[in-house]
Amino acid sequence: MPEVRVVNLTKKFGNIVALDNVNLVIHDKEYFSLLGPSGCGKTTLLRLIAGLIEPDSGEIYIGGRRVDNVPPEDREIGFVFQTFALFPHMTVWENVNYGPRVKNFDLKAAGTIGHEVLELVKLHERLNAYPNELSGGMMQRIAVARALAAGAKTLLLDEPLGQLDAKVRNEIRYEMRRMAKDLNLTAIHVTHDQAEAMSISDRIAVMKKGKIVQVGTPQELYMKPNSLFVAYFIGESNFLEGSVMEVKDRELLIELRGGDKVKVLGEGLKKGERAVVAVRPEVFMTRQKTQSENVLKGVVEKISFEGTFVRYEIKLKSDDSLIVIRPSLTENWFDVGASITLSFEPEKAHVFPYPETSLAEELSV
Amino acid sequence: MSAKKPIKYAMYLAAVAVFFALILLPPIIGIFTKLSAIQEVLDQPALMQRALNAVVNSFAIALLVSALDVAAGVPLAWLITRGKSKWLNVLDTFADIPFIVPTAALGYSLLLFWNGPGGLSALFGGSLISTGWLLVALLHFTFSYPIVVRVFVGALLDYKREYEQASRTLGAAPLIAARTVTFPILKPALIAAFILSFARSLSETGATFIVAGLFENGPVFLQNMKNAYSSGLVSQATYEGATVFASLILIVTSLSIFALIRILGSRLRLPFNRVWPTMERKFSYSKATAARNTVTLLVFLVIVLLPSLFVALPAFQALFTDTFSAAISSSGVWVNYWQSLFISYLLGAIVTLIGFVVGLPMAILIARKKFGGAISTILDLLINVPLIVPSIALGVSLKFFWQNFAFIPEFILLIFAHLAITYPYIVRSISAAFERISIDIEDAARTLGAKPFAVFRTIMLPLTKYSILSGAIMVFTRSVSETGATLAVVTNLQTAPVVIVNWVRALQNPALNTNITPSVVGLGCGILIVFSFLILLLLRLVTKGKGRY
């Protein structure tokens, strides 16, 4: 069963540590994403799993078998490149049949598989076309079909949608997940697009500078980010700096930079310590009636209409700026210059210790 | 803007006119003005047969050698680009040596190594390989080898490795991946390498003449006829007839073959479309790879590099004899040598300069398709003609052409001949450099307000100067090394490689009773090689230096 496991994996390119002692388990039949900004090591990790590059240290297991000394052709994986890498001198059919041919499959059975996978990606009628006659979306589907025809049980996808138009990309990403699920494949999908990763993955590993920061389901990452970076990279967050005034069980009272006091839930912080409160833009309420705690006052500085939502940029008394998102059709809008009173529930915010370097450094990619 | 357009087009038209009038047509048309001379040969069946045999030998050797070069050079290119050792950089530099050493010196070096008493032959008590076709083939293999390596290293560096990686992840062993994916995609480079090696083998004259002995290929036959005529053995009519006859066949056949390769090459599928997964896997991994690399390196070291540099030994020994002081004080035969060296380098410099001036507009015209795509393609094909025609035949034809007009000093004729031979190199290196730079960059400069000439001066020239410079050094080297065309057009002037050829011939023919000794020839070659090394060093500095884009 193709469970993929990497243990203490490290890879350096010259002096640059591309991957720093990474441990990760991807379950059988899971649709898993490696998410992170460019240069975070996600493609390096994928290429190491595929055997396209060799690790400096560590172990890689696919389906329980240790493979770090196994050449890529014997790892029983399928790799879909960002540029698709369809062989330009072969037709669609020759591309799809390449795997069975070089793997010495029974050619009759291979022919059947070829037709099946082409049906699956709905490109059977283009079997005699050359890659340069196909659109980006078609090439992408052929690249997947080619990997499947070679008998891949683990699909490694390196930014497989990166070269496609926004519209096609949104359609194909669900198709990819459906296909992987229908065929009981383990899929590892590399992307820098958090919306893409969130919408199709069972679980996601968020990476930064060669390390895995957090692994979890899309909901876990969104609702319970374990770090400032994840709170910043997944979705959107406002970061408010302050220091801890009081600690009562899990309840913390934080005095913000401008003097406002807010109550949040969190652990591991001591009295007097510097802290950062992360609040998502949609968490703020604008009704100023009942709430007496966690109130912030400010002035609307900018407003932009985004269809479903209205986005406000609000300047607080402390001169900090906040982003607030409200539904556009079910509420009255605030005008630019209007005073506004915001509030949020303590359990909807996250609090983190102030990073050792600086906030900007911690969030830099 | 509209007022300046005609000036620009006039410049491009002038470049095309110069190309046709000076480079392309004289070496082709010249021979046809002398067609009537052929009658003389048709009346002498024995001579005609000898000429035909010589021409057939030329093509047979070129074919054999180019095929072997591709087979031996591609694995080295692979090792250089894919290997992990830092020594590969050194290897890469060494692979250029036989290209940069003037062929006349190379020929003498090989003669010493394979045939001479002090070389490898000493181990076998006699000549290991006597002069003749086998030594000619070895020589041609040696000087064409770097071309194949260079072309294929470039192709492998530009190659998108993802194709090969995709093939591996689909289950292909390395050997299968290379054979079914990489080589078919790089087929144009394989064909280019084959053509260049083929053309070089057809053209080479001086060194071939040194090692040929009684064997004749096209260029050697032409040179033998010339020598026979100048020593009064054959009449002028016979000499001209034989020369025109052999040159004509060489020109027509070589052009036809290259046309054929161009047409068939793109349709040709590489053989062995089948795969044998189980067997080929065995040849893909560590032991087989190590064995392949060992053989590749051995071939390179023993057949290419060592023989090429073997002349360094007598040259070094000569440093401690009278020969060295004679050379330094420029006495006796050395007067001639230093003079010829001066002529060679002066010629090289002039040709490079003129070539750059007339070649630059042509290169831009081709790269930027100024007169439309079709014309660019045609011009691109035509500039290769002088590369393809054997240079001695080109020289013969060129001389006949200019004879029809007026008396032109030999040095000017030499410039014309060398210009024709080197023109393809300069145009191709500049146009390739221009093609690599997106036209968007030029357009961006234009939208920022730069006039066309300012765009060229401030954007294109800085971006392409390294390619242009390395092209210029190649042209210079090629000119200094050229013997075929030189021998064909001159009677009195001597360039350095011609002097070497004459010296070796004097050595081989003791009856001539000259005071040329092996130590003199060795030192003469050694000096040429040292200069070549300096040029190679310069080339490396230029192409590896910072500021490459």
Side-chain angles (χ1 to χ4, degrees), chain B residues 428-476:
Chain B
R428 290 174 76 177
S429 64
I430 303 177
S431 73
F434 266 67
E435 273 163 15
R436 270 199 293 275
I437 293 162
S438 159
I439 194 136
D440 289 350
I441 289 182
E442 271 187 79
D443 288 344
R446 294 293 296 277
T447 60
L448 292 168
K451 298 262 188 299
F453 184 70
V455 173
F456 173 74
R457 200 173 47 79
T458 56
I459 309 291
M460 297 314 279
L461 206 55
L463 285 178
T464 54
K465 66 180 171 199
Y466 293 97
S467 312
I468 292 176
L469 211 53
S470 65
I473 295 173
M474 280 230 324
V475 166
F476 184 79

Side-chain angles (χ1 to χ4, degrees), chain A residues 47 50 52 71-74 77-79 81 83 85-90 94 98-99 101-104 130 146-147 150, chain B residues 84 160 162-163 165-174 176-177 180-181 184-185 269 273-275 277-278 281 285:
Chain A
R47 288 174 166 257
L52 299 176
E73 58 268 27
D74 296 334
I77 44 104
F79 199 103
F81 291 82
T83 56
L86 296 182
F87 305 135
H89 59 301
M90 297 183 194
E94 287 167 328
Y98 185 84
R101 194 158 69 93
V102 296
K103 279 187 173 171
N104 223 4
Y130 280 92
R146 182 174 71 172
Chain B
K84 293 193 177 89
K160 237 173 70 182
E162 283 185 355
Y163 290 127
Q165 294 175 331
S167 160
R168 296 287 301 277
T169 63
L170 290 169
I176 305 182
T180 57
V181 174
I185 291 176
R269 282 203 132 191
N273 204 10
R274 281 197 57 187
V275 294
T278 349
R281 289 181 65 90
Y285 301 105

Side-chain angles (χ1 to χ4, degrees), chain B residues 137-213:
Chain B
L138 266 174
L139 167 77
H140 287 210
F141 177 84
T142 304
F143 64 63
S144 293
Y145 185 89
I147 303 176
V148 173
V149 173
R150 184 81 12 251
V151 169
F152 211 68
V153 163
L156 276 173
L157 288 178
D158 283 345
Y159 171 61
K160 237 173 70 182
R161 262 190 94 172
E162 283 185 355
Y163 290 127
E164 198 175 297
Q165 294 175 331
S167 160
R168 296 287 301 277
T169 63
L170 290 169
L175 181 65
I176 305 182
R179 209 163 55 71
T180 57
V181 174
T182 305
F183 288 157
I185 291 176
L186 294 182
K187 194 181 68 180
L190 287 172
I191 293 177
F194 184 87
I195 289 185
L196 284 173
S197 144
F198 194 83
R200 191 109 156 92
S201 168
L202 277 187
S203 272
E204 213 295 320
T205 309
T208 312
F209 193 64
I210 290 175
V211 302

Side-chain angles (χ1 to χ4, degrees), chain A residues 1-13:
Chain A
M1 285 295 103
E3 174 197 79
V4 177
R5 189 155 59 92
V6 306
V7 182
N8 298 335
L9 205 58
T10 296
K11 175 71 184 174
K12 293 182 190 133
F13 293 111

